[in-house]
Amino acid sequence: MKTVNFQYQTKLTFSSPVTEHRFSLKILPQSDDRQRIEELVVNIEPEGVTWNSTDGFGNRLLNGHIEFPHEHFCFGIKGTANMADVPYTMCSEPERVLFYPTELTRPDKKLVDLYKEIELSAPENFLERLKFYSQEVHARMRYERGVTSASTTAEEALAAGAGVCQDYTHILLSLLRQDGICCRYTAGFASDSGETHAWAEAWIKDRYYGIDPTRNKLIDESYIAISRGRDFEDASIERGIFKGMCNEIVNVQLSMEILQ
């Protein structure tokens, strides 16, 4: 068991004032068998009307609106978590929808060809099989910003041969689902990243195992899960809409301190 102090903040700066700002934030981590949230402070600026809800995947949402003109929007959390030294999460039976592809993970020719090329070499042991597919994704991709966007599909990212953690995870999810393995997208924090990170969780027998294809490793105490779903669209940390003609600058900061 390790104690992790974490602090996360996103700040949007607008070039001119915006109004009628609606937002939905998935920034409220929950306790489970591998992470116990001991303390959590939430910050929203400027202050507006807020309320909590839960989505179909069990993610906690902080919803709100700001009616008056404002030139920045800042949201973040600060807290402490006790992290167990197990890379998996116990839970009830997974949702059947997690077996099926989404628009972002649907396999086309390249992903189907890749699966056919490698699946006969995959180990029979389920955990080793999961590691095998992660290694295949890691070996075929190059981490590079600016090549993909939030709407890039797994097929497009594989064709480009480059992307970020979201793309690595979407490709892995596509391969796992072709193999009949139930899996989900997880967004959260990793200690060696200065912003939010993404990885996959695969259901093996009676629990989820988290694996990070970007770093090609099972998750450990340095990973804090924030939200989950079928893909990025379900687990996105922030959604919002406002009125105004402006440009925006986004600044994200994340710090994690792991205590022995």
Side-chain angles (χ1 to χ4, degrees), residues 8 41 43 57 63 71 75 79 84 105 109 134 136-137 160 165 186 193-194 208 220 229-230 236:
Y8 166 76
V41 177
N43 178 60
F57 295 99
N63 309 291
E71 295 184 344
F75 62 88
T105 63
K109 186 177 186 308
S134 175
E136 292 295 326
V137 174
C165 58
T186 303
S193 176
Y208 279 106
D220 55 28
R230 296 167 299 172
S236 177

Side-chain angles (χ1 to χ4, degrees), residues 126-180:
F126 282 110
L127 183 55
E128 295 304 314
R129 200 173 184 89
L130 174 61
K131 294 178 182 178
F132 171 82
Y133 285 122
S134 175
Q135 167 62 35
E136 292 295 326
V137 174
H138 183 79
R140 284 168 168 76
M141 292 292 287
R142 180 182 74 257
Y143 190 91
E144 184 176 345
R145 299 177 185 274
V147 176
T148 58
S149 69
S151 61
T152 299
T153 66
E155 183 80 13
E156 292 167 339
L158 181 62
V164 294
C165 58
Q166 170 187 312
D167 306 299
Y168 282 68
T169 302
H170 282 158
I171 295 170
L172 178 57
L173 293 176
S174 182
L175 292 174
L176 293 175
R177 287 169 181 159
Q178 288 184 76
D179 205 49

Side-chain angles (χ1 to χ4, degrees), residues 6-18:
F6 59 90
Q7 186 168 350
Y8 166 76
Q9 177 180 279
T10 291
K11 183 175 182 179
L12 308 179
T13 303
F14 308 113
S15 58
S16 60
V18 302

Side-chain angles (χ1 to χ4, degrees), residues 33-229:
D33 65 293
R34 64 167 298 272
Q35 65 179 42
R36 188 167 73 243
I37 308 301
E38 300 291 351
E39 180 183 344
L40 187 67
V41 177
V42 181
N43 178 60
I44 303 288
E45 295 179 8
E47 292 187 6
V49 177
T50 61
W51 65 94
N52 295 321
S53 64
T54 304
D55 68 12
F57 295 99
N59 298 311
R60 297 169 60 197
L61 278 70
L62 177 61
N63 309 291
H65 59 83
I66 304 170
E67 299 296 336
F68 55 85
H70 52 286
E71 295 184 344
H72 79 275
F73 177 57
C74 182
F75 62 88
I77 56 175
K78 178 180 180 181
T80 300
N82 286 330
M83 307 299 298
D85 58 352
V86 290
Y88 49 82
T89 302
M90 297 286 290
C91 66
S92 57
E93 286 291 322
E95 302 91 337
R96 296 298 301 177
V97 70
L98 296 173
F99 283 93
Y100 303 106
T102 65
E103 288 303 312
L104 290 175
T105 63
R106 191 179 310 281
D108 206 338
K109 186 177 186 308
K110 288 187 178 298
L111 275 165
V112 171
D113 288 347
L114 174 58
Y115 175 70
K116 290 179 178 178
E117 175 190 339
I118 66 176
E119 63 97 9
L120 292 178
S121 301
E124 291 187 8
N125 176 275
F126 282 110
L127 183 55
E128 295 304 314
R129 200 173 184 89
L130 174 61
K131 294 178 182 178
F132 171 82
Y133 285 122
S134 175
Q135 167 62 35
E136 292 295 326
V137 174
H138 183 79
R140 284 168 168 76
M141 292 292 287
R142 180 182 74 257
Y143 190 91
E144 184 176 345
R145 299 177 185 274
V147 176
T148 58
S149 69
S151 61
T152 299
T153 66
E155 183 80 13
E156 292 167 339
L158 181 62
V164 294
C165 58
Q166 170 187 312
D167 306 299
Y168 282 68
T169 302
H170 282 158
I171 295 170
L172 178 57
L173 293 176
S174 182
L175 292 174
L176 293 175
R177 287 169 181 159
Q178 288 184 76
D179 205 49
I181 298 174
C182 175
C183 53
R184 60 189 183 184
Y185 184 105
T186 303
F189 305 150
S191 62
D192 57 351
S193 176
E195 55 190 5
T196 54
H197 192 55
W199 60 92
E201 291 181 340
W203 180 263
I204 301 176
K205 294 184 179 179
D206 62 351
R207 65 196 65 191
Y208 279 106
Y209 284 75
I211 194 163
D212 181 354
T214 308
R215 295 167 174 79
N216 193 32
K217 57 179 284 191
L218 291 172
I219 65 170
D220 55 28
E221 304 101 312
S222 64
Y223 289 74
I224 298 177
I226 304 296
S227 60
R228 299 178 170 99

